[in-house]
């Protein structure tokens, strides 16, 4: 029993060392190509210095590491298990009566731990740094800023509006004002504003036209608002206010990538989006994918073991390692395809996020059962 435990810890340590080394190597390689691309884009920008470009590339590094973590586990595991098999360490252990499931428990636990740490700890750091990188990229390399760049001109917002109907909604449309053009004390403003106030059954109750609308703390302030009632007759211009749970940050985040939102903030933000009438499918899919990451990491570890524990004396080592890489790439393709179907609403979000990881885990388990028990 002591021998089996010692062997499990030894194999897990070798697996962890090679996985971390592979993660660092792959992340560094991808970051190098990212830096070269940023330098190419910055060549025509006088205010984009090398320090700024390097800062953007460095801020993206945790996000890059999150994306390639499953491949690092797969490749690092293949190399680690292949070395142990080539040196006959695993062959001797199995000849001594130690089952493959015994010494694979350690590497699988390491893979699950890496996935859990990536989800719970690295993801919040990655989202914050990626959001900062995107802001710098938009400001210095794309010449875009604020909501107008994200919304593409005219912005449409939907929110709850209990002013006329307790279950009513309001649809606001306007041209967002750039941050540099805001007046003192304003955090967010729309010009050329139209507001449609609807009942719960989407029946028009009133329409508001105004030169501008300012988003204050917990409310919209619309000076010089002309209200058209159900009879379509305009009322005299007046100052209009109605409550809202939107903020400038939430509006901007709703158009940003879910990758820029912390794992721990996603559930509350998804609720806010749905209450405001926005689609939260992308955010739900991203959240479920992060939850499934430990299972995907375990599947990659088992795939690495299944494709690399064959004795090197039997030949076909290159083909077997290539098969492991191909299986990992196929799993990646399936994950992307199911993700696209999930975003389109064709597949349920939970199925789209968990199916690739579950299928990979079952495939790897079946392969190891075949190798171990025939």
């Amino acid at each position: 029993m002591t021998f089996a435990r010692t062997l499990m810890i030894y194999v897990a340590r070798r697996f962890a060392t090679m996985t971390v080394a592979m993660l660092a190597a792959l992340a560094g390689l991808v970051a190098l190509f990212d830096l070269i691309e940023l330098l190419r884009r910055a060549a025509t920008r006088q205010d984009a210095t090398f320090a700024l470009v390097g800062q953007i590339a460095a801020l993206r590094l945790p996000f890059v590491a999150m994306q390639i973590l499953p491949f690092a586990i797969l490749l690092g595991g293949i190399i680690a298990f292949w070395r142990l098999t080539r040196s006959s360490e695993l062959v001797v252990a199995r000849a001594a009566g130690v089952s493959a499931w015994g010494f694979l428990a350690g590497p699988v636990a390491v893979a699950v731990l890496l996935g859990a740490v990536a989800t719970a700890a690295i993801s919040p750091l990655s989202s914050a740094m990626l959001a900062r990188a995107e802001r710098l990229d938009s400001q210095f390399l794309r010449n875009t800023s604020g909501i107008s760049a994200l919304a593409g001109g005219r912005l449409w917002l939907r929110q709850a509006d209990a002013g006329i109907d307790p279950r009513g909604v309001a649809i606001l449309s306007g041209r967002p004002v750039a941050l540099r053009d805001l007046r003192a004390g304003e955090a967010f403003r729309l010009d050329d504003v139209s507001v449609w106030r609807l009942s719960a059954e989407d029946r028009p109750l009133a329409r508001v036209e105004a030169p501008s609308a300012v988003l204050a703390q917990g409310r919209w302030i619309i000076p010089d608002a002309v209200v058209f009632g159900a009879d379509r007759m305009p009322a005299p211009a007046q100052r209009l206010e109605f409550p809202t749970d939107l903020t400038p940050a939430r509006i901007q985040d709703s158009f940003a990538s879910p990758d820029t939102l912390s794992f721990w903030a996603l559930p509350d933000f998804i609720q806010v989006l749905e209450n405001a009438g926005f689609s939260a499918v992308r955010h739900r899919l991203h959240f479920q994918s992060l939850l499934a990451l430990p299972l995907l990491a375990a599947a990659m570890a088992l795939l690495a073991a299944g494709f690399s524990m064959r004795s090197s004396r039997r030949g076909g080592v290159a083909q077997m390692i290539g098969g492991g890489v191909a299986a990992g790439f196929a799993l990646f393709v399936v994950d992307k395809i199911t993700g696209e179907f999930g975003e389109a609403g064709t597949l349920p979000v939970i199925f789209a996020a968990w199916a690739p990881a579950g299928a990979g885990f079952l495939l790897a388990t079946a392969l190891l059962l075949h190798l171990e028990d025939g």
Side-chain angles (χ1 to χ4, degrees):
M1 197 68 175
T2 303
F3 171 73
R5 185 183 299 110
T6 303
L7 177 64
M8 182 188 69
I9 295 174
Y10 172 72
V11 175
R13 186 170 65 247
R14 294 285 296 270
F15 174 83
T17 301
M18 189 54 63
T19 298
V20 172
M22 186 60 65
L23 178 62
L26 292 177
L29 182 62
V30 175
L32 178 61
F33 283 108
D34 189 31
L35 177 62
I36 293 173
E37 173 61 19
L38 290 172
L39 288 173
R40 184 192 64 80
R41 292 171 50 197
T44 58
R45 311 287 184 181
Q46 295 182 353
D47 52 349
T49 63
F50 180 80
L52 174 68
V53 173
Q55 181 182 2
I56 295 176
L59 288 171
R60 289 180 177 178
L61 191 57
F63 173 73
V64 170
M66 284 281 298
Q67 298 302 304
I68 65 176
L69 177 62
F71 289 100
I73 293 174
L74 176 66
L75 296 179
I78 287 176
I79 295 175
F81 290 128
W82 176 69
R83 286 184 172 181
L84 290 170
T85 302
R86 188 183 61 174
S87 62
S88 299
E89 292 174 89
L90 295 185
V91 176
V92 172
R94 298 177 75 178
V98 179
S99 171
W101 300 105
F103 59 76
L104 283 180
V108 171
V110 169
V112 172
L113 180 62
L114 287 174
V117 170
T119 296
I122 305 300
S123 174
L125 176 65
S126 168
S127 61
M129 295 177 68
L130 181 63
R132 172 64 177 168
E134 291 296 323
R135 286 194 294 268
L136 291 176
D137 193 338
S138 299
Q139 182 178 357
F140 292 98
L141 301 183
R142 298 180 187 171
N143 279 342
T144 58
S145 62
I147 300 297
S148 58
L150 297 172
R154 197 165 184 86
L155 180 64
W156 293 80
L157 298 172
R158 178 185 174 96
Q159 67 162 66
D161 179 19
I164 302 178
D165 187 329
R167 296 187 297 116
V169 296
I171 300 176
L172 297 87
S173 174
R175 301 187 182 280
V177 177
L179 295 177
R180 59 179 178 273
D181 297 328
L182 293 175
R183 306 187 187 101
E186 292 181 346
F188 179 73
R189 189 176 88 239
L190 293 174
D191 286 345
D192 188 18
V193 176
S194 298
V195 182
W196 291 267
R197 308 182 76 173
L198 310 175
S199 67
E201 295 78 22
D202 291 335
R203 180 171 55 87
L205 300 177
R207 179 169 63 91
V208 180
E209 299 288 341
S212 64
V214 178
L215 181 58
Q217 183 68 32
R219 68 189 190 280
W220 285 101
I221 301 176
I222 309 179
D224 301 323
V226 178
V227 180
F228 296 81
D231 56 0
R232 300 186 179 180
M233 297 300 296
Q238 57 183 304
R239 176 187 172 93
L240 180 65
E241 295 187 12
F242 60 92
T244 181
D245 57 356
L246 297 175
T247 65
R250 286 175 176 173
I251 294 174
Q252 184 165 355
D253 286 343
S254 68
F255 295 96
S257 168
D259 295 317
T260 60
L261 296 173
S262 168
F263 168 77
W264 301 104
L266 274 170
D268 291 338
F269 186 75
I270 289 171
Q271 189 65 38
V272 170
L273 280 183
E274 293 180 341
N275 290 340
F278 293 109
S279 173
V281 173
R282 291 192 306 143
H283 299 78
R284 286 188 175 276
L285 182 62
H286 180 63
F287 180 69
Q288 293 295 330
S289 298
L290 289 175
L291 288 178
L293 184 57
L295 179 61
L296 180 61
M300 289 299 187
L302 292 177
L303 275 176
F307 279 97
S308 58
M309 288 201 312
R310 177 179 175 178
S311 176
S312 59
R313 295 181 180 179
R314 305 167 84 179
V317 176
Q319 290 85 348
M320 182 159 288
I321 293 178
V325 175
F329 181 75
L331 191 59
F332 171 78
V333 172
V334 171
D335 181 62
K336 291 300 180 183
I337 292 175
T338 56
E340 292 295 331
F341 280 118
E343 288 189 10
T346 308
L347 291 176
V349 169
I350 295 179
F351 180 83
W354 286 86
F361 185 83
L362 294 176
L363 173 65
T365 303
L367 178 61
L368 283 171
L369 285 172
H370 173 71
L371 293 176
E372 180 68 10
D373 302 321

